[in-house]
Each structure stands twice: as structure tokens, then as C-alpha cells.
Amino acid sequence: MTDAPVIGVLALQGDVREHLIALAAADAVARPVRRPEELAEVDGLVLPGGESTTISKLAVIFGMLEPLRERIRAGMPAYGSCAGMIMLADKVLDGRDDQETIGGIDMTVRRNAFGRQNDSFEAAVNVASLGGGPVTGVFIRAPWVESTGTDVDVLSRLRNGTVVAVRHDRLLATSFHPELTGDHRVHGLFVDMVRASR
Ligand code: GLN
């Protein structure tokens, strides 16, 4: 498809490969992004799951933090899953003291929020605006969204009310990992957001 959007996956650490596969399945041209020159060439960016403190540290070392902030400020669509959600949050609770985020979504997230007994679990999650029934939410030492600004749309809550997916304009974030399930609807939603932004 010639009009397929080019979507990068920030490839400093985390489950990059799974996102590349999911994006390709959702009809995007997907490529890893490690350097500012590569970032300049994509229409949108995925921030993968992994370890946000490590991604933060490597983003500083690789000179990517400011270029990432600039592109997001300029309106590039981005989607963050799990650690990627943390990277898109304006504020983080229970982060490391030196932990930086890219920011962009007016929200506060809590790292490792679900606690030890629930470090990893699966739950059926309804995502607003996604047809076809709930997705399987895979939560792995996941963050939750503790509070959101007025311009942020809450897309998903667990049964107890915990917010686990949000959208703020061109930015999308989930506590869970749709890239691990073979269900590409969340990536499809993001690809549509990138298409609409061009
Ligand atoms: N606990 C990790 C962090 O704080 C996120 C885990 C994940 O991405 N699966 O970055």
C-alpha cells in the first residue's frame, strides 16, 4: 500500500519487535527508531513496553529526549504501552528520582501500581471507540493512570474503576500490552490516528 503511514518504534529497550509486527499487521510501514535522523523520518511513533527507567536513561545517553519532546510538542502522534505509557505521562509517581519522561499527556501515572501479588495478570478490557468487543489486556508490572487533565479522554477502565487507557489529542497510551496478544485493533486505532494527522 503506497499511502501506508511510516510508524517508528523507539528501539532503545523493550518489546520493539512485537510492536513492529503488530504495526505491519495493521497496515503501517514499521521501522525501529534509535537516532534523531530516524525520528525525523516517521509519521508517528510507538513507545514500547519494557523498563521506563532504562528507556529514560538511554534516551538521554542517545540524545533522543529533546528531539522526542520536540516532535511530540509539534503534534506527532505517539502511542505508548506500559513503560511507553509512563514515557508519555507529564507526571510519574513511584519513579526513580532521576527518571525523565517525554511527557505530552496531561496525566499522572503510578509505576508498578498493581502491586506484587498482581504483578502480572490478564483482564478483558473494553476500549472506547474500538469495535468487536473487549481486548485481552496483558498487564506486566503495569502502571495505572491516577489522574487526568480535562482534555484527556479515558478509553478504558477496569471493573474497579482503575483507568488503564487514555487518549489526549494525538497521543494514546495503555497500561497493557496489545502487542503481545495477536489482536491488532489497538494498533489499528493508532494507525488510523496517524493517517488522520497527515
Ligand atoms: N514496570 C515497568 C516500568 O516501570 C513497566 C513494565 C512494562 O512495560 N511491562 O517501566
Side-chain angles (χ1 to χ4, degrees):
M1 225 197 300
T2 49
D3 76 330
V6 178
I7 301 186
V9 180
L10 185 66
L12 301 177
Q13 189 267 340
D15 66 343
V16 175
R17 191 169 159 270
E18 288 77 2
H19 278 289
L20 291 171
I21 292 167
L23 287 166
D27 295 328
V29 173
R31 43 168 93 140
V33 165
R34 283 186 195 85
R35 296 179 296 133
E37 306 85 84
E38 293 165 339
L39 178 62
E41 285 173 2
V42 297
D43 301 314
L45 187 71
V46 167
L47 292 320
E51 178 46 58
S52 59
T53 55
T54 306
I55 295 172
S56 157
K57 214 180 289 173
L58 292 174
V60 172
I61 291 170
F62 279 67
M64 284 296 279
L65 191 62
E66 282 312 318
L68 286 163
R69 285 178 174 159
E70 259 162 48
R71 281 230 51 199
I72 283 183
R73 232 179 277 131
M76 177 184 69
Y79 164 46
S81 71
C82 202
M85 168 187 260
I86 297 170
M87 291 305 295
L88 287 176
D90 282 349
K91 269 189 83 185
V92 180
L93 302 175
D94 294 338
R96 279 175 43 141
D97 287 348
D98 61 348
Q99 182 165 2
E100 300 271 6
T101 73
I102 301 163
I105 301 184
D106 180 10
M107 66 176 172
T108 300
V109 302
R110 187 176 291 279
R111 262 183 87 223
N112 303 334
F114 290 94
R116 199 172 282 173
Q117 75 283 12
N118 255 344
D119 266 356
S120 301
F121 62 99
E122 288 189 10
V125 179
N126 284 301
V127 180
S129 80
L130 217 62
V135 302
T136 300
V138 178
F139 296 80
I140 304 170
R141 286 176 62 78
W144 69 40
V145 179
E146 196 129 324
S147 63
T148 54
T150 45
D151 293 339
V152 177
D153 294 324
V154 170
L155 301 186
S156 304
R157 290 178 189 275
L158 298 181
R159 275 206 217 142
N160 64 7
T162 305
V163 175
V164 293
V166 296
R167 178 171 174 176
H168 185 179
D169 201 3
R170 293 176 178 180
L171 304 177
L172 177 70
T174 61
S175 300
F176 51 90
H177 291 271
E179 73 277 13
L180 300 181
T181 62
D183 177 344
H184 306 303
R185 285 177 293 156
V186 173
H187 288 78
L189 170 65
F190 180 58
V191 173
D192 287 345
M193 286 167 59
V194 176
R195 272 218 178 82
S197 78
R198 291 199 301 174

